[in-house]
Amino acid sequence: MTAPRVLIVMGSDSDRDKLAPCWEMLDQLGIGYAVRVASAHRTPERVVELARTARELGFGVIVAGAGLAAHLAGMIAAHTTLPVVAVPVVSGTLGGVDALLSTVQMPPGVPLASVGIGGATNAGLYAAAILGAHGGGIAARLGELREAQAKRVVEADERIRAETTPA
Ligand code: RP5
């Protein structure tokens, strides 16, 4: 495993299972990461500290996942110029729409990118795409992954055709 390049921050330990697909994808791609819990509302100073020190610690991208009034990713983006990828998490009664809307409507000047509600796998893939933007091993591994998933769709298509085509 390489030195940690992706900092994954979640708003609560209760988000752990929902963010796990992100680091599982990074494991699959051989990309190093660190996972932390820090809350925009309960431990705001720790969030700021994580955001401010991430670049000097060698991280190239930050993934931030939180539910409810999900200000974590935006607050991190306010304290770093590293790319920030948000994961709106399903928590509580509004099915993640609360997290999505409170994440994505950032004011001009402080950007972040967001995957869909519960999109932790895509957050891992997008973080990898950022790190691999200029080619190299990560870009090659992402290409292989795309080819493998396309092959699975073609195989499924052939299977369903064989099973449903009348003799
Ligand atoms: C958010 O509130 C967290 O990201 C989590 O999704 C939600 C509930 O947190 P807990 O009350 O379970 O710690 O800040």
Side-chain angles (χ1 to χ4, degrees), residues 10-15 18-19 38-42 65-72 87 89-92 99:
M10 58 186 124
S12 168
D13 193 44
S14 67
D15 298 323
K18 295 155 193 171
L19 266 296
S39 163
H41 307 111
R42 294 166 176 157
L68 304 179
H71 300 136
L72 181 65
V87 184
V89 162
V90 178
S91 177

Side-chain angles (χ1 to χ4, degrees), residues 65-163:
L68 304 179
H71 300 136
L72 181 65
M75 195 166 163
I76 289 173
H79 291 91
T80 182
T81 52
L82 285 174
V84 176
V85 183
V87 184
V89 162
V90 178
S91 177
T93 54
L94 298 179
V97 174
D98 44 356
L100 175 69
L101 296 181
S102 52
T103 292
V104 296
Q105 292 297 90
M106 290 295 286
V110 185
L112 56 74
S114 180
V115 295
I117 297 168
T121 298
N122 270 0
L125 284 167
Y126 196 59
I130 290 168
L131 295 175
H134 302 293
I138 293 176
R141 288 197 291 281
L142 284 171
E144 287 162 14
L145 213 115
R146 289 283 177 99
E147 278 172 30
Q149 73 185 2
K151 190 162 170 271
R152 286 197 295 276
V153 173
V154 171
E155 285 167 358
D157 178 48
E158 284 165 0
R159 232 176 8 254
I160 195 95
R161 278 173 59 197
E163 287 168 14

